[in-house]
Amino acid sequence: MQSEIHSFILWEKARSQLKKTIKDLEAKFEILEILEIFWPKNKFAQNLKRFYGTTLTDPQKKEAVCGNGSFLLIIVSDKNPIHGKRKTSIGSQIVNTNIYDQKMQIRRILGSEYIIHSSIHQKEANHDFTLLLGKNIEQLKK
């Protein structure tokens, strides 16, 4: 099976748990890169709306929960992806269960489902990287 590249985003308010989160991610995936992303504070809610699309009904609430300071994009490689169904915020989907389950575990540890994001399948990973970095997965692999 071919490895997959995925995104994990630690929004500003999750950064206090950076060391633990990195340790947890390193135990299951290869961390390829960690990038700090800055969005202007006065455009943060607008950028969240663009990032999440129609699934985000209240960008100001999301901003209040996750913070509007710099955030970290952690790019990981899952060398042994497993795909299966999981119940997501938009219904049952086929996802990379390794990534999805890790995201949910980190959310439980951090005590909030809104202060960490991850891609859950390659379509979402491609979306995340294109919006945040201007590169799709194939360009990142090179």
Side-chain angles (χ1 to χ4, degrees):
M1 181 165 281
Q2 190 173 8
S3 65
E4 292 182 359
I5 297 175
H6 283 274
S7 64
F8 278 86
I9 294 175
L10 271 64
W11 298 111
E12 175 192 25
K13 290 187 179 178
R15 290 185 65 171
S16 64
Q17 297 296 314
L18 176 62
K19 287 182 183 179
K20 170 115 178 75
T21 302
I22 294 293
K23 184 178 176 184
D24 291 345
L25 291 175
E26 283 178 329
K28 297 191 176 166
F29 311 110
E30 177 186 357
I31 295 179
L32 301 176
E33 195 159 1
I34 300 173
L35 301 168
E36 188 168 19
I37 309 282
F38 297 88
W39 285 346
K41 289 186 188 304
N42 65 336
K43 301 273 188 200
F44 206 91
Q46 180 181 338
N47 284 337
L48 284 171
K49 184 69 176 163
R50 184 169 174 236
F51 185 76
Y52 285 103
T54 57
T55 64
L56 182 63
T57 56
D58 190 345
Q60 288 77 20
K61 180 180 177 184
K62 170 76 174 172
E63 179 181 5
V65 171
C66 71
N68 62 9
S70 67
F71 56 92
L72 298 177
L73 170 63
I74 303 170
I75 303 171
V76 303
S77 174
D78 181 359
K79 297 197 183 296
N80 299 298
I82 299 171
H83 299 99
K85 277 190 176 181
R86 292 291 189 269
K87 184 178 177 185
T88 72
S89 60
I90 59 170
S92 184
Q93 295 188 64
I94 300 293
V95 302
N96 178 324
T97 58
N98 296 334
I99 298 290
Y100 181 86
D101 294 348
Q102 184 64 36
K103 172 177 76 170
M104 299 311 285
Q105 179 181 339
I106 293 170
R107 285 179 169 182
R108 282 189 296 276
I109 291 167
L110 297 178
S112 173
E113 66 178 281
Y114 299 112
I115 60 174
I116 185 169
H117 166 85
S118 80
S119 55
I120 56 174
H121 43 63
Q122 291 295 268
K123 181 179 178 184
E124 185 175 24
N126 207 47
H127 167 270
D128 292 359
F129 295 132
T130 300
L131 279 177
L132 294 172
L133 304 176
K135 295 179 181 182
N136 63 33
I137 290 173
E138 292 308 313
Q139 292 169 315
L140 284 176
K141 286 181 180 179
K142 293 176 185 175

